[in-house]
Amino acid sequence: MKKFNLLLLISILLIKSSIFSQEILLPISSNVKDQIILSAAHSDMLGEGFFPVSYSEAQVDFPKKDTTRTWIYRKLFQEHFIQPTGKHFLLAVDPVLNLSIGKDVLNEGANYIFQNTRGVQAQGHIQNIFSFYTAFFENQGRYLAYQTDYFTDRGEYYPKNGVYTQTNAVIPGGGRTKPFKVNGFDYASSVSYVRLTPNDKLTFQFGNAPRFFGYGHRSLLLSDNSFNYTHLSIDWKITPKLSYTLMRGKQLNLIRKVHTNLIEAPYERKGIGVHYLNYKPIPTLSIGVFESTVYLRDEATSSQRVNPYFYQPLIGINTALNGSEISDLKNLLGVNIGWRFHPKHLVYLQTVTDDFKNKAFGFQLGYRNANVFGVKKLHFQAEYNHANKTLYAANNPRLAYTHFNLPLAHTLGNGFKEVVIRLNYEWKGFFTEVAAVFYDAHQPMTNKSQLFESKLVISPNDFTRVLNGHFKLGYVVNPATQLRVFLAGHYRESSTDLSPTTANGSLTIGMRTAINNQYFDF
């Protein structure tokens, strides 16, 4: 009887799932978000306030075979490299490339900059009830001076004779590195997930694929700026208007433990828990309440069990009972709002705090426009971000809102006022993009280290002003894989109260599978 009931349940789930579309997730890259957030395929607010979303949520069809074309043409320009499909399953396997070479033309004697990424990705689904994605990347690169300085200052810490020394740079989204030739870095990374969608109410996802909360270029809540970390998430659509997301994950401070029996000392661990309640009073308005908690697991010479609050699933309980920070956990609260007041116009807002008493706060206000001046596929975005000097920091620096020595939310960490302007256009596969970032920051210019200091003893810092802009011209070789060729120009100018103005200006040519974001615009 038990076997019969189990078979009956599986049959019901498979029958129900046959009416669903693909639950594979779209890439999280900005170029994909620009296309789908204000897509003509739907007129409501997309998703539940975070990305990536699935093909079905965005009402985008997974690329299909076109048997009227030759095999070579289809593989180069139309579809995935390996794409066997059946009535109830799909598989797609592709090479992944990010190859570029360039030069800082404003600094004589500077080495050539380059990116050399080779990888492979595989994705698929079975009966639209089970989907997966996995990818591995091998990378070498050399970067502009301001980027290299930042990556190096985010390196891991080794204890030696009672003192921590720093080595092995860390690249946002790329992870820990080793030296490569002259001023270069060698690193590897991977990303994967498995998703189970038993019905149209529940989704379970396990892996290390990042999530980005919000509709902006930046997120003040949780973004893909840092490095991938293992987590379990549960998305529950309670009613057509109300949804709830629960996430639990493992993160690391790149600080080696002092005592170990292993060949190489492990990093200090911490946990993260996220609760997100999203409400859509009308289809074009999305209002979300966000709570995130960082849990201490390890310090230099000690370890402990995670606080029991790690296991409680209700939003607001952690903050109500523990306040902003206690010895082994730190809470952050935020609001995430998006309003699509016109099919081609969207305004969005975020507010965040992790210390009401000391008025630590941040906020974001932004606007998106698709089909600017009636021009199809001309997208415009303007955004303002602000975070004061103590937001995301903690009394105990090991509880700061970071992972892999990188900010979990905004690229700059804290202590900034920023304006972001983006404009991009696509026509018959050709594309152009222009973007500029302006910010003032009350922190050191190079290493943005303020977030990693205790709030109780934050050291004096410099006032920094930065203009960071770029343009890009290119062609989408294969829309299915997001393979693009491009020519890019980049200019950055920075000054502080204590140092003269410095500038970098580069020209780069390359080819890239644009499936993730590279937040080097700081």
Side-chain angles (χ1 to χ4, degrees), residues 276-344:
Y276 185 69
L277 182 66
N278 195 65
Y279 177 59
K280 292 182 177 179
I282 56 176
T284 56
L285 177 63
S286 178
I287 303 171
V289 180
F290 179 94
E291 181 186 47
S292 180
T293 305
V294 176
Y295 298 88
L296 186 69
R297 292 293 310 278
D298 295 330
E299 294 196 80
T301 59
S302 64
S303 297
Q304 64 185 50
R305 293 183 181 274
V306 68
N307 189 297
Y309 282 100
F310 181 81
Y311 301 101
Q312 81 81 18
L314 301 180
I315 190 169
I317 298 297
N318 290 357
T319 304
L321 297 182
N322 298 294
S324 60
E325 181 180 350
I326 58 176
S327 61
D328 59 351
L329 66 81
K330 178 176 174 59
N331 296 307
L332 179 144
L333 288 175
V335 175
N336 182 38
I337 299 174
W339 180 29
R340 190 173 181 176
F341 63 91
H342 181 278
K344 299 302 178 184

Side-chain angles (χ1 to χ4, degrees), residues 72-323:
I72 294 178
Y73 182 93
R74 288 188 284 114
K75 297 306 175 182
L76 288 177
F77 303 111
Q78 285 189 337
E79 62 186 41
H80 295 277
F81 185 68
I82 299 175
Q83 191 174 329
T85 57
K87 186 177 180 180
H88 300 298
F89 80 94
L90 181 147
L91 175 66
V93 181
D94 299 288
V96 176
L97 300 173
N98 186 0
L99 309 174
S100 65
I101 187 167
K103 179 73 174 177
D104 186 343
V105 296
L106 297 185
N107 292 279
E108 293 185 11
N111 293 315
Y112 280 93
I113 57 176
F114 68 89
Q115 181 73 47
N116 179 17
T117 297
R118 299 88 57 214
V120 61
Q121 65 175 2
Q123 56 191 318
H125 67 219
I126 300 174
Q127 284 281 5
N128 293 321
I129 193 173
F130 173 82
S131 59
F132 73 92
Y133 177 89
T134 184
F136 175 80
F137 314 98
E138 178 65 32
N139 316 268
Q140 292 84 37
R142 184 188 296 129
Y143 305 96
L144 293 172
Y146 83 93
Q147 297 168 346
T148 299
D149 290 342
Y150 178 77
F151 303 157
T152 302
D153 287 323
R154 295 278 65 81
E156 61 182 309
Y157 289 89
Y158 277 87
K160 186 176 181 180
N161 299 325
V163 178
Y164 283 101
T165 58
Q166 200 169 17
T167 185
N168 295 335
V170 175
I171 294 179
R176 185 177 69 107
T177 70
K178 294 183 178 180
F180 180 76
K181 295 185 177 179
V182 179
N183 297 327
F185 303 102
D186 187 345
Y187 57 102
S189 59
S190 62
V191 59
S192 62
Y193 67 78
V194 291
R195 278 168 60 89
L196 180 65
T197 310
N199 54 52
D200 59 355
K201 303 293 184 184
L202 278 175
T203 299
F204 301 89
Q205 181 175 318
F206 179 75
N208 67 349
R211 282 197 173 184
F212 181 102
F213 283 80
Y215 301 96
H217 179 62
R218 313 286 198 197
S219 173
L220 300 186
L221 303 177
L222 183 64
S223 79
D224 55 335
N225 171 73
S226 182
F227 187 59
N228 305 328
Y229 53 91
T230 303
H231 62 272
L232 170 68
S233 62
I234 302 173
D235 302 311
W236 178 24
K237 199 167 184 63
I238 304 170
T239 72
K241 293 184 177 183
L242 190 67
S243 65
Y244 190 67
T245 291
L246 171 74
M247 190 174 82
R248 294 292 183 272
K250 173 188 175 183
Q251 297 182 335
L252 298 171
N253 293 318
L254 292 195
I255 305 172
R256 298 284 184 177
K257 298 202 68 175
V258 173
H259 303 298
T260 181
N261 295 323
L262 303 175
I263 296 176
E264 188 173 48
Y267 296 122
E268 295 179 5
R269 301 167 298 167
K270 58 184 178 182
I272 185 171
V274 171
H275 304 131
Y276 185 69
L277 182 66
N278 195 65
Y279 177 59
K280 292 182 177 179
I282 56 176
T284 56
L285 177 63
S286 178
I287 303 171
V289 180
F290 179 94
E291 181 186 47
S292 180
T293 305
V294 176
Y295 298 88
L296 186 69
R297 292 293 310 278
D298 295 330
E299 294 196 80
T301 59
S302 64
S303 297
Q304 64 185 50
R305 293 183 181 274
V306 68
N307 189 297
Y309 282 100
F310 181 81
Y311 301 101
Q312 81 81 18
L314 301 180
I315 190 169
I317 298 297
N318 290 357
T319 304
L321 297 182
N322 298 294

Side-chain angles (χ1 to χ4, degrees), residues 379 421-425 432-436 469-473:
H379 299 271
I421 304 292
R422 299 177 63 241
L423 185 70
N424 60 72
Y425 175 60
T432 181
E433 177 180 303
V434 180
H470 78 265
F471 76 87
K472 189 176 290 185
L473 302 172

